[in-house]
Amino acid sequence: MPAMTAVDADARAGAGLPAEAVGPLARGVGVLRRLAEAGGTLSPSALERATGLARSTVDRITATLARMGYVRLDGRDVVLTPGVLELGNAYLAALRLPALLGARADTLADELDESVSLAVADRDGIRFIHQATRRRALSVSFRIGDLLPAERTAPGALFATQWAEPDWARWRTRRAEDPRDTAFPAVPPRPEPATADDTADAVEAAFADRVRAARRDGWALDDQLIEPGLVAVSAPVRDPRTGRVACVASVVSHTSRHPAAELPATLLPRLRTAVEAMEADLRAAPPPEPGPAPAGLATWTTATKQELGRDFVESLARGLTVLTAFGEGRPALSLTDVARATGLSRATARRALLTHEHLGLVAPAAHQDRTFTLTPRVLDLGFPPLSRTTLPRLAQPHLRALADRVREPAALAVLTADGTEVQYTAGADTSGVLTVRIPVGARLPAAATSLGRVLLADADGPLSPELAEAKARGYALADEELESGLRSVAVPVRDRTGRAVAAVNVATHAARRTLEDCVQRLLPALRATADDIQRDLHQVSRFTKVPTT
């Protein structure tokens, strides 16, 4: 278990909070953090041990988070769901940097065939806000939201060129309390000091030297600071309004591809060109148009409290909704703005903001009186374990629920590259003696399956009458064409652009269900499942890429 920070200790015990802070909100944030650190899944008893909370408190908090769609209760486990990403998405949308610069990072990664990341400063650490990764056997990358100690990264040296003495003092305090970096689960802990080079004074001297070099050169190098074999070169992307470092772009590789000494010659020139283009994009970006603020949140929490009673912690739900008031075009909000966006009273919004400020999730906005902004620490609340998911993983719990509901097997599939076959990527079986079992990975002719037809019907250009009908109806049927007795119905799963990237179906035996029964009884449940999968996909894919296989 990672070492506790002071903030986490407060969240665990509810101690040390300001008098007007909301204790249940602090404890709920602590539960989300512990779940994220554990990879997204913990049992209630493990949460009880990890947080120091009473089991009854853990149960009420997780029941509340489940009703909000942030976790699901899966047997004996509490599991983070994509719904919780609305908190981190609010921060990333308000920040704008991923939306403005992400395409440049992706292009650079394609050109160099290396992973490229964007990171922002988070106190005396750095936190990733965008990742363009390579899909190869030996891949080097972190997850969006991962927090790393500044002294073990190339971006950290660049951010530290702007530190004042209080920043250095805070860094020294953290290093003294946690010399092995156990509070940073994304990196391997430092070994126990074995030589004079490993002492605290030596670490500080080495980092100070790297900061001076970064200030002189305008770039920084990571020569296996995190772990053996991993190297990176980084350059700052400066805010055109202030001249300060807005984020840092890094090209990450390993020593078998690029020895660290060669990075300035092999990768840095192209990185600098990309950074110049990013800074030009920031200068040219028009002011953001405010997106729609959340609506009716206070009404929803009140109605839910009346429905569920003491099992629903209304102060926790209301406190978390305050974070969703921020977003694109709403990076800095006053107390009045937050109250108006959420429908909460000013007093309730004020107590929530005070609590979030104490927990490090919001901070007073720079150069704007009486306003608040979200901090990168909002990404602690579930983003890292969910930012590296796939469409099959997103779909699996929904397929399981569908199969249990209709008592027929359900599956997810995608079209192969040539469009002639469908490949099964996820599924949920039933326990009947006579049932349909098609294993994940199997490929079948697209034209003979309901899954294939509904995906082929999404293509541009002329369609056959059968596919045109499927496109108009929004579903496709297959009646004993692949195999005698096998009948199925399928609907598409669409990405944020509306493109069908996969399909889900329910299969049955012709003796059990007529075609009319498939349409009247199976199709509504199937469409609801596709909607649930799409909602999760749209949430996760707003700032991350979700592989379809």
Side-chain angles (χ1 to χ4, degrees):
M1 181 65 62
M4 271 197 306
T5 65
V7 167
D8 290 337
D10 287 342
R12 285 188 180 203
L17 289 170
E20 292 184 272
V22 185
L25 175 56
R27 291 187 282 273
V29 167
V31 165
L32 288 175
R33 280 177 164 154
R34 297 286 83 77
L35 280 168
E37 289 172 0
T41 303
L42 281 175
S43 68
S45 58
L47 273 172
E48 183 182 358
R49 292 190 298 271
T51 60
L53 299 173
R55 177 58 182 269
S56 59
T57 302
V58 169
D59 289 343
R60 293 181 66 217
I61 287 173
T62 55
T64 302
L65 295 174
R67 189 56 180 256
M68 297 182 75
Y70 290 173
V71 305
R72 73 173 186 273
L73 307 180
D74 188 0
R76 296 182 178 180
D77 290 330
V78 180
V79 182
L80 288 174
T81 67
V84 76
L85 293 189
E86 75 171 346
L87 304 176
N89 283 344
Y91 163 72
L92 295 173
L95 183 67
R96 295 189 77 199
L97 293 178
L100 293 175
L101 309 182
R104 296 283 187 188
D106 295 344
T107 299
L108 180 61
D110 290 338
E111 292 178 358
L112 298 177
D113 194 27
E114 300 288 353
S115 295
V116 174
S117 65
L118 300 177
V120 294
D122 188 347
R123 298 191 182 183
D124 59 349
I126 68 113
R127 199 177 292 269
F128 294 104
I129 59 169
H130 183 81
Q131 288 286 348
T133 60
R134 303 288 87 188
R135 297 191 75 177
R136 57 168 67 106
L138 185 59
S139 179
V140 227
S141 65
F142 291 95
R143 304 169 302 181
I144 294 177
D146 274 338
L147 177 67
L148 277 63
E151 69 277 10
R152 292 178 66 178
T153 69
L158 290 164
F159 285 120
T161 62
Q162 302 179 147
W163 284 3
E165 183 51 39
D167 300 306
W168 283 100
R170 181 173 58 205
W171 177 78
R172 294 186 189 101
T173 299
R174 189 261 294 166
R175 288 277 307 131
E177 293 176 349
D178 184 22
R180 298 192 62 213
D181 297 334
T182 56
F184 296 87
V187 298
R190 284 182 180 273
E192 295 288 351
T195 68
D197 293 336
D198 299 327
T199 65
D201 288 344
V203 170
E204 179 171 350
F207 184 46
D209 286 344
R210 292 178 51 238
V211 173
R212 283 190 290 271
R215 185 179 292 113
R216 179 193 67 229
D217 300 333
W219 54 272
L221 193 67
D222 171 359
D223 185 2
Q224 306 178 80
L225 295 170
I226 294 173
E227 63 178 53
L230 189 147
V231 294
V233 62
S234 301
V237 180
R238 298 191 177 274
D239 187 326
R241 299 167 301 169
T242 65
R244 293 180 63 82
V245 180
C247 68
V248 170
S250 303
V251 182
V252 187
S253 188
H254 53 85
T255 51
S256 59
R257 289 176 61 83
H258 293 281
E262 297 180 3
L263 295 184
T266 57
L267 300 182
L268 180 60
R270 185 63 191 89
L271 172 62
R272 279 181 152 167
T273 300
V275 163
E276 290 175 1
M278 291 179 184
E279 291 177 340
D281 289 342
L282 292 182
R283 286 192 297 271
E289 290 291 334
L297 296 176
T299 302
W300 178 84
T301 57
T302 299
T304 306
K305 179 65 175 179
Q306 292 174 349
E307 176 187 351
L308 299 182
R310 69 180 306 275
D311 288 336
F312 184 77
V313 187
E314 187 175 16
S315 57
L316 167 58
R318 289 189 164 188
L320 291 175
T321 64
V322 163
L323 300 178
T324 67
F326 298 83
E328 186 174 359
R330 305 190 306 277
L333 298 178
S334 67
L335 171 59
T336 300
D337 294 332
V338 171
R340 183 183 303 117
T342 59
L344 300 173
S345 69
R346 283 175 54 88
T348 299
R350 178 174 178 273
R351 293 187 64 204
L353 286 168
L354 284 172
T355 308
H356 288 314
E357 184 176 10
H358 177 75
L359 298 175
L361 302 176
V362 304
H367 314 302
Q368 295 189 48
D369 293 337
R370 298 184 179 183
T371 61
F372 296 86
T373 61
L374 298 180
T375 75
R377 295 209 164 188
V378 174
L379 296 175
D380 271 342
L381 308 183
F383 218 96
L386 289 166
S387 68
R388 193 65 63 77
T389 192
T390 64
L391 181 55
R393 290 178 189 168
L394 292 178
Q396 189 60 50
H398 300 297
L399 295 176
R400 178 74 270 158
L402 174 62
D404 290 344
R405 178 180 174 185
V406 301
R407 298 188 179 182
E408 301 284 6
L412 176 83
V414 297
L415 272 180
T416 56
D418 61 7
T420 62
E421 295 179 311
V422 290
Q423 179 180 355
Y424 283 69
T425 57
D429 293 333
T430 56
S431 57
V433 176
L434 179 61
T435 188
V436 182
R437 288 191 176 92
I438 300 176
V440 170
R443 293 188 175 195
L444 297 174
T449 64
S450 60
L451 291 161
R453 287 175 185 169
V454 83
L455 290 171
L456 292 171
D458 194 62
D460 295 328
L463 297 174
S464 68
E466 184 179 47
L467 293 181
E469 183 181 3
K471 185 171 188 175
R473 296 184 307 192
Y475 69 90
L477 285 165
D479 185 19
E480 302 189 72
E481 294 162 65
L482 184 67
E483 183 176 331
S484 297
L486 179 61
R487 194 168 272 169
S488 66
V489 57
V491 297
V493 173
R494 300 186 182 278
D495 64 12
R496 293 178 63 87
T497 68
R499 182 173 63 96
V501 293
V504 289
N505 84 337
V506 172
T508 186
H509 190 273
R512 283 206 298 268
R513 295 184 186 271
T514 64
L515 286 176
E516 182 180 8
D517 194 42
C518 288
V519 172
Q520 292 185 352
R521 296 182 179 275
L522 296 182
L523 183 59
L526 185 61
R527 280 178 162 159
T529 298
D531 289 343
D532 291 340
I533 296 171
Q534 286 177 172
R535 184 188 62 248
D536 286 353
L537 176 61
H538 296 176
Q539 193 75 267
V540 177
S541 63
R542 185 172 180 186
F543 294 105
T544 66
K545 290 187 176 180
V546 180
T548 57
T549 58

